Every structure is written in C-alpha cells, then in structure tokens.
Amino acid sequence: MAERDAAEVCIGVLALQGAFREHLACLRKLPRVHAVEVRTKEQLAGVDGLIIPGGESTTMALIAERWGLIPELRSFAAGGSPVWGTCAGLIFLADRATGQKEGGQALLGGLDCLVQRNFFGAQVDSFETQLPAPEPLSALRVSGAAAPAPGADSFRALFIRAPAVLEAGASVEVLAEYRLSPTEAEAQGRQSVAVAVRSKQLLATAFHPELTDDLRWHLLFVEMVRERLRGSSSLRKRGPDSAPAAPERAGSGTRPADLPVVGPSDAY
Amino acid sequence: MATNQAQKSTFAVKVGLAQMLKGGVIMDVTTADEARIAEEAGAVAVMALERVPADIRKDGGVARMSDAGIIREIKEAVTIPVMAKARIGHFVEAQILEALDVDYVDESEVLTPADDVHHINKHNFKVPFVCGCRDLGEALRRIAEGAAMIRTKGEAGTGNVVEAVRHCRAVQGAIRTLQTMDDDEVYVFAKELRAPVELVRQTKTLGRLPVVNFAAGGVATPADAALMMQMGMDGVFVGSGIFKSGDPAARARAIVQAVTHYNDPKILAEVSCGLGEPMVGIDCRDKNFNSYAARSE
C-alpha cells in the first residue's frame, strides 16, 4: 500500500463512556489519521468515520438519547459513512439483540444480525485467545510507528462479557468465528458463533482490538473510510481545517497518561 | 478453523473489564429495585452491599457481605455488571462472591475488616478485585496483591468530597514526584512507599497507576463527580449520595451525564438543576468522626 498517497482521514470515537481513549491511542499510531472524541452532533458532523467503543451499551444508549444523538448517529450511518462497533458497539449496530435490559434500549441498527448480549456469561468466563486472521486482515501491512503483529495469520482477541452474533443475514460477511468448547457447544446447541462481521460500510467485532498492540483492525477500518471517500469526495462534509479539536485538557490539566496494553502473560 | 485456546481470567481480561467501565458511574445498591433504578439512570455497574455507608455510620455494628440471595436477585434484575463488597481479608466472602458469578469484588474498608493485618491474596481468584487506597504506596500494595482496579477511598457515607480529593491528590502528587526522580532514587522511594520496586518503576514509566483508577467516598453531586473526573480519575463510585438523596433517579441520571460531560460547565449547569435534596453531609474533622479510610493500609 502506498501510504504517501493515502488520503488524510478524520476518525471520530464516540466518547460517551467506555474504552474510547484506547481506540484513539491506536488510531493515532496510524499514518495520516486524525482521531477525535465525539460527544455532540457538531463533533459528529466533522468526521469521516466513527468508532463506537466497548463500554456498557445501556449506559451509552441512555446518554446518547439524552442529548438527541441517536437520530444523528442513525443518519450518519444511513448516509453511508463507515461505522465500526466493538463489543457494546456491535450491539448498537445490530438490527436485533437479545438479553436486553427490561424495556429494551435504543439501538442504531443497520447490520442485519441477531446479537446476544453477554453471550459468554459473567466476568469469570471472560477470556482471551488467538483467532485466525481473515483474508482482508492478513492482506494488510502495518508500517510506520505501528508495531508489527505477533503473527500475520492470527490475531489476539479479548472477549470481556462479550456479545456474539447468533444469526447473520445474507448481506453480512462473517470475518471471524469462534469455535465453542464442547461444554459451551452443548449448552448453546451450536458449534460456533460469528465474532467479527462486515456489511457494506459497517464493521463490528465482539472482541477488543484496542486492548492489543495489533493495529490491523484499525487499519482495516481506516481503509474502509478511505474507500468511501474515494467513491464520494463530493459528499465530504467538512473542509480540511474544520475538524473539531477534542476538549482534552481543562481544569487542572492533570489527566494522566493512558493505560498500556496488558500482554497475554502479564501480571503484577 | 484452528482450535481456539481460550485463557480465562488473564490479568488483561481482569483489567479489561475495568477499562470498559471508564467514564462511568458505579452505584451502591442494596436491593434489586435499587439496582433497576441505577441501570435505568445509566450506571455502568452496580455495587451490592448490605447497607449503604451512611446507614452503616448511623446504625453501627459489624457490616458484612450482602446476603447471597439478594446478590442473586440483583444479578437477575439487571444486565450491567454486578460488583459486591467483601470484608478486608475475608477470603471466604470473596470465594462466595466468586461462586455467585459476581463480575468484580470490592475488598472494602466500608465493611468491618475481618483481618486487620492482611488483605486477601487476590491472585488466587478468577474474579477480578477492586481495592481502596489513600496514597500511592497503598495503591501499589493492593496491585501487588492482585487488585485489577483501584479506587481512591475518600470517606464513604459522609457526602463530603474532601477526603476523595485528598486521596486523589496524594496518589497523583506522588506519581509526579516519582517522575522527576533519577532512576537511582527509586529504590529508597519504594522503601518509603512500602511498595514493590518493580511496580514503582512501572508507575514512573507510565506516569499513572498501572490499572484503572476510580474515585470514591463522598461524591454527592454532579459537580463532585465532574471534579473528580477533571482531576484525572477514570470514573466514579457513588454510594449513599444517590439513595440517601431526595430524588435518587434524577440525581443518578444527572451524575451519569456529569461524568460524560465533565469538561463542559454549560452542560454541568444544566444537569445540576432541580435535583431535590442532596444527602446530609458529615464534617470529617469532627472529634467523634470515625474514619473508614484509616481501617486498612
């Protein structure tokens, strides 16, 4: 990939709650990517693509509703702008979800999937594993400041009270599956579940690439955003200088640095 | 498809859940009904305990882990993570909480300590732990014992944010001091902190605690919550501040909004309107004041 020719893109990360700073840190390691926090309609209008991070989907939905963001997010995605949801973000994007809180919750939809919240159970059942890298991922080459992936043919996946895709429509491309253990398979009555899916401009993963030092999922999404910009440069809503600055430092300005990536065998 | 080797409960997975809670509010609840109110208000998790700290202060006696049946009811009532408190050093209460599938255990000084010398060896558990601290040394000692998340202690049940601020400044001030030190000076600093030198060195490199750090103990208003966030905390615990106030649902919603928009005074003004009576506050300098934070070190 000729990075010198790659278009400059502005990626927003929905910063209502959750692991949004981890996504920003990953994006900022990629060349020609400008990454900003999105909390308001105005900030959303200035970005080319949006990541909905991991966190509590009920919390994010309630805060988004309170400030009228849900219809704005819906029209952002419906207008063809790429959106990537990780974990809670996957639940946001799915057309159908089970295991909702009483009374349900506002969802964006757009991804023809049935998702089950907390598919793998409580926190004691949360886990990490290596999964085979799908072709679109293994074809990518990360350079620049980005650390090389540990193995090009697999990727590290952390599942934290994670959801899973139970059914995917015909328009949905399954990028990664997780094979259930014999006990899980018996309890669920199936051998595997989809954990990464893509449909046109929507990408969704049940795991957390932002908690690893493998940047390929972020690059894959950035390339989806570039693809979209190439196809519709006239639709671009913002000028080169109008990207909103994230309000990162205020008050006493003492917000400490972010957490590092915790390795598979790290413990203190 | 290759066979997956799933590793459960790695430290990355334990810290990972705390990372997903960042920018959120964790609310103390004593019943399934309160847990529903908290979830509806946008809590990222609920903390199950027998009595809220304000009642523990008022009624006295020994405060213990919540009834296991109530924890089960709370787990059934909500979809958000459920945390529960165990007494300091009471590793059997922690075993019971793990068996109940709670998502995080808070080894808490708000309950009456079961061991006034030793904390739980948290490495022995699959369930992750959050522990309190008043300063950097205390935080790193808890992390050495296996805690995957830290909260500054504050003084629970007082509605007075002064101790939360003090402990937050103590941790961050010590980290700033550490960062200005020569590497040769770290050994003696670790000795003074009474913390493992490896963790002290790592904290120096990172410029922060090596795990997620929430504020706790005395947060009663949206402004209190935003104050702790602007001071660099990753999120807040609110205990008695919600269910001991005049309108718990409205106050809970407002504190959630304040933690998201902590840097926007206009929004903070808007969410601070018409919340009803806050909880009654207690002066922590009173002669008869009983410090919970000082119960462990």
Side-chain angles (χ1 to χ4, degrees):
Chain A
M1 188 186 60
E3 263 158 12
R4 264 174 302 159
D5 305 332
E8 185 106 13
V9 290
C10 179
I11 311 278
V13 183
L14 193 66
L16 302 178
Q17 188 272 319
F20 52 87
R21 297 177 69 87
E22 285 78 355
H23 273 295
L24 291 165
C26 290
L27 290 169
R28 284 170 184 160
K29 287 181 194 155
L30 294 173
R32 306 185 66 75
V33 174
H34 185 56
V36 297
E37 295 180 6
V38 171
R39 287 188 180 81
T40 63
K41 300 174 201 177
E42 295 71 29
Q43 290 165 338
L44 182 63
V47 301
D48 303 313
L50 181 76
I51 297 177
I52 304 178
E56 276 310 310
S57 54
T58 47
T59 304
M60 287 196 256
L62 285 163
I63 299 170
E65 245 178 330
R66 168 72 176 77
W67 303 100
L69 262 178
I70 296 280
E72 301 287 328
L73 289 167
R74 276 202 190 114
S75 66
F76 182 84
S81 295
V83 181
W84 172 21
T86 53
C87 198
L90 161 62
I91 298 163
F92 256 70
L93 292 178
D95 277 342
R96 301 174 299 284
T98 63
Q100 300 285 80
K101 74 175 176 70
E102 259 177 56
Q105 66 194 46
L107 297 168
L108 292 192
L111 198 60
D112 181 13
C113 281
L114 172 67
V115 167
Q116 185 177 332
R117 283 194 69 185
N118 296 352
F119 174 83
F120 298 97
Q123 173 63 13
V124 288
D125 298 310
S126 292
F127 63 97
E128 65 173 281
T129 188
Q130 288 285 132
L131 292 179
E135 197 279 327
L137 203 67
S138 52
L140 291 171
R141 290 288 170 268
V142 182
S143 66
D153 55 349
S154 71
F155 65 93
R156 184 180 171 212
L158 284 93
F159 291 84
I160 298 169
R161 284 173 45 94
V165 178
L166 301 183
E167 296 163 12
S171 66
V172 175
E173 177 190 5
V174 174
L175 293 176
E177 281 187 298
Y178 177 74
R179 186 183 289 280
L180 301 176
S181 71
T183 17
E184 287 168 333
E186 186 161 334
Q188 301 289 343
R190 57 192 299 154
Q191 295 301 316
S192 66
V193 284
V195 291
V197 293
R198 183 160 68 162
S199 171
K200 283 183 232 141
Q201 81 288 5
L202 301 180
L203 174 67
T205 58
F207 47 85
H208 294 277
E210 78 281 11
L211 299 184
T212 73
D213 47 21
D214 185 346
L215 297 174
R216 288 176 297 170
W217 286 96
H218 287 84
L219 187 55
L220 180 71
F221 181 65
V222 166
E223 288 304 315
M224 285 170 63
V225 174
R226 291 203 171 112
E227 187 62 43
R228 149 85 179 158
L229 288 180
R230 273 195 289 276
S232 62
S233 50
S234 59
L235 288 180
R236 200 160 175 192
K237 284 165 281 187
R238 67 179 178 89
D241 302 323
S242 64
E248 289 199 348
R249 286 188 177 270
S252 54
T254 49
R255 178 155 288 281
D258 291 320
L259 277 182
V261 167
V262 182
S265 52
D266 285 358
Y268 298 130
Chain B
M1 195 165 32
T3 314
N4 304 301
Q5 278 293 11
Q7 292 178 281
K8 287 191 179 182
S9 304
T10 61
F11 196 65
V13 163
K14 289 176 171 177
V15 174
L17 177 57
Q19 287 177 278
M20 297 308 134
L21 302 175
K22 288 195 304 178
V25 184
I26 300 169
M27 302 182 192
D28 277 1
V29 299
T30 58
T31 64
D33 286 343
E34 288 181 356
R36 288 280 306 125
I37 293 171
E39 179 177 54
E40 208 53 57
V44 287
V46 290
M47 173 72 72
L49 75 174
E50 190 186 37
R51 292 172 281 167
V52 295
D55 286 337
I56 298 174
R57 284 192 184 277
K58 200 171 71 194
D59 304 342
V62 173
R64 310 179 179 89
M65 177 186 83
S66 197
D67 182 275
I70 291 176
I71 294 173
R72 282 218 170 100
E73 283 171 29
I74 290 173
K75 271 190 67 75
E76 273 165 32
V78 296
T79 66
I80 56 177
V82 175
M83 301 183 164
K85 284 188 195 288
R87 283 180 267 176
I88 287 173
H90 206 315
F91 49 85
V92 174
E93 281 189 351
Q95 289 165 8
I96 291 169
L97 293 175
E98 182 174 89
L100 288 169
D101 272 353
V102 305
D103 296 297
Y104 243 94
V105 173
D106 183 1
E107 187 183 18
S108 177
E109 72 285 355
V110 173
L111 306 186
T112 313
D115 185 331
D116 57 11
V117 181
H118 303 101
H119 280 70
I120 297 171
N121 179 353
K122 294 164 274 284
H123 294 291
N124 292 342
F125 288 80
K126 286 192 299 175
V127 67
F129 281 75
V130 54
C131 287
C133 77
R134 288 166 300 170
D135 53 42
L136 180 58
E138 202 172 344
L140 296 181
R141 286 194 292 279
R142 295 296 88 75
I143 295 168
E145 293 158 1
M149 179 178 182
I150 288 293
R151 57 176 170 75
T152 47
K153 284 175 172 173
E155 280 292 355
T158 62
N160 187 343
V161 81
V162 65
E163 295 301 311
V165 169
R166 188 192 317 285
H167 300 156
C168 167
R169 285 207 186 274
V171 170
Q172 295 191 341
I175 293 173
R176 282 191 291 272
T177 305
L178 176 59
Q179 284 186 291
T180 63
M181 283 184 180
D182 187 275
D183 285 349
D184 297 358
E185 296 164 347
V186 170
Y187 300 95
V188 169
F189 195 58
K191 187 184 75 179
E192 286 164 1
L193 292 177
R194 293 182 292 146
V197 69
E198 272 314 311
L199 278 174
V200 176
R201 202 178 279 132
Q202 192 184 4
T203 304
K204 181 176 190 287
T205 311
L206 295 176
R208 63 160 293 146
L209 286 182
V211 299
V212 169
N213 180 14
F214 271 44
V219 173
T221 68
D224 290 348
L227 174 67
M228 300 319 296
M229 292 300 290
Q230 284 198 22
M231 289 181 73
M233 295 288 105
D234 293 317
V236 297
F237 285 88
V238 185
S240 324
I242 289 171
F243 289 101
K244 286 289 156 188
S245 72
D247 187 346
R251 186 163 294 265
R253 273 198 305 275
I255 293 176
V256 167
Q257 304 295 341
V259 168
T260 290
H261 297 283
Y262 68 90
N263 253 343
D264 189 332
K266 285 207 172 100
I267 291 184
L268 294 175
E270 196 176 318
V271 303
S272 298
C273 292
L275 298 180
E277 283 292 302
M279 72 177 284
V280 178
I282 295 176
D283 186 349
C284 303
R285 292 168 306 180
D286 190 282
K287 231 186 283 171
N288 297 319
F289 179 72
N290 179 9
S291 168
Y292 290 169
R295 279 170 160 177
S296 70
E297 55 177 39

